Amino acid sequence: MYLLLWNAGVLGVLIPQVLGMKINYDGDQVLQIIPQHEDQVLCLQHICRSSQLDLWKPLQPEDINVRRVVHVRIPFVALQSVKEAMLQCSLSFKILVDNLSQLIANEEATRRRRRRTISDYDYTTYHPMEDIYEWMNLMAEKHSDLVTQHNLGSTYESNSMKYLKISKPSNSSKKIIWMDCGIHAREWIAPAFCQWFVKEIVQNHEKDSQIQRILKNIDLYVLPVLNIDGYIYTWTTERLWRKSRSKHENGTCYGVDLNRNYDVKWCSLGSSTNCTSNIYCGVSPVSEPETKAVVNFVEMRKSEIICFLTMHSYSQYILTAYGYSMDLPQSYYETIKVAAMAAAELKKKHGTVYKVGSFANLLYEASGTSQDWVHDQGIEFSYTIELRDNGTYQFILPENQIQPTCEETMAGVMTIINYVNNKYFPNQASTSCRNPNLYVLISTLLTIVLLK
Ligand code: 0X9
Ligand code: ZN
Ligand code: ZN
C-alpha cells in the first residue's frame, strides 16, 4: 500500500496506466510556434527540454529551426509557466487545440456504430484492432478469387501481423507492390486508408481497366496495421501513443519508434537512445519483432518488390529518400517526378496541397527509417506518404475527413502504382499519361526551390 501511494505520488503521470485507465489529456493544449530568430530557437528548445514537453513537430528540440513550424502539446498543469516562459523570450504562439481531451471526446462521440459484415463495413469511421482483424477475415472469405490473408510475423505482445495479398491468377511471374499503414500508433488515418485501398481495388477490379492492367503484372500486399500493439494501446489507454509496446529497463519505459529501428545509419540522426523518448531507436538495429518481420519479407522478396509505400500522418507530404542524409539518391529525379505527378492528381480531388521532396531536405534528418532501408536494398520507388492534415487537428483527424482523405490519397497512390507498372511492364503501357513533360517541369522547379 505504501509503495503504491509512493509510486502514485512520484510517478504521477503513470497512474492511469498503472490502474489500466485511459489518459484523458484534460485541459492540455497544442500550440503552434514559429521562432523567427536564433535566440528564440534556443529559448524554445530550452523550454521544451526543461518542461519535458511532448513535441509533435519536429519530434525533438534539436530539430527546432528558425521559421520552421513547431507543434507541441502542453499539459494543463504546465500551461501557465510555459506560456510565461515563451513571452519572456518574445515567442508568440497560436493555440491549435484549446482542450485536447475535448477534441478526443468529440472523436469518440461521433464514432459511428460499427457494422460487422463486409457489405456494410463502415470505411468512414475508425476501427479498433478486433474489427480490422475481422474485416480481413471477411475480405479474404468473400473475395477468395482475389484476396488472401497471410501472416508476416508476430508483434512483441504476440499479435499476428496479418496482411492481405491482392492477386489475380497468372502464368507469368509478377512483381510486388507493398503498402503498410500504422507504423506509428496514433496516426489512425493511415490504417483507415489501407482498408479503403483494399476496398477500392476489390470493388473496382472488374470494371476499372487501369486496375486490371496493374493486376495482370503486379500483386498488391497490404499490411493495414504494422504496429498492432501500439494501435491497440491508443484505443485502450493513450490516444497519442506513437511507439511499439516492448518493455525496457525493467519496465521503467516502453516502446521503440519502429521507424527508427532499421539497419540504415541506425540511431545516428533524429533518434534517441533514451527509452522514454518518442524516437527511441531500440537497443540495436532490428531489435524489434515487428521490424524483423518486415525485414525478413523484404530480404526474401527483394527481387520482386518494385514499389514500397509506407503510410503516415500528418503533414501532407510525399517523401522520397533520404531521411538519413541531405544527399539525394541517384533515383531522385525520377522518384520526385512521380511524387509530383501523384501530388497533382491528389490535389484534383479536393484541392488538398501536398509537398514533395526528400525527408531530410523538407523536414529534418532521421536515420533508421523503413523507407530508407528499403530504398538501399535496391527498391528505388520507396515512399513515405504523410496524410492529412496540416496542423488543424493533427493526429485527431475528424472522422468526416476520412472519406475525402482516402479519396484523394487513392488518386495519388494509383498514380504512383500506374507509373511503376508502366515502367516495369512497358509493352502494356496505357495512353492515360497526358503530359509527362509538364510533370518533369514541375518537379524540376520544385527541386530548385527545395535545394535553394
Ligand atoms: O519521422 C517519421 O518517422 C515520419 N514522420 S512522422 O511524423 N509520421 O513520424 C517520416 C519518415 C520519413 N522517412 C524518410 N524519408 N526516410
Ligand atoms: Zn471479387
Ligand atoms: Zn508516422
Side-chain angles (χ1 to χ4, degrees), residues 275-287:
C275 62
T276 63
S277 164
N278 252 341
I279 45 175
Y280 177 46
C281 52
V283 286
S284 58
V286 204
S287 57

Side-chain angles (χ1 to χ4, degrees), residues 183-184 187 242 259 311-313 386:
I183 195 169
H184 292 139
E187 299 165 7
R242 168 179 167 94
N259 212 26
M311 311 303 288
H312 290 252
S313 76
E386 301 260 9

Side-chain angles (χ1 to χ4, degrees), residues 92-108:
S92 50
F93 55 82
K94 181 174 145 195
I95 298 172
L96 287 183
V97 179
D98 179 51
N99 183 352
L100 197 55
S101 73
Q102 191 59 52
L103 193 59
I104 293 171
N106 291 348
E107 181 188 69
E108 281 168 8

Side-chain angles (χ1 to χ4, degrees), residues 22-29 73-79 98-105:
K22 255 193 190 175
I23 292 185
N24 70 8
Y25 309 99
D26 233 347
D28 291 12
Q29 293 191 342
R73 176 176 70 90
I74 320 286
F76 179 67
V77 292
L79 270 179
D98 179 51
N99 183 352
L100 197 55
S101 73
Q102 191 59 52
L103 193 59
I104 293 171

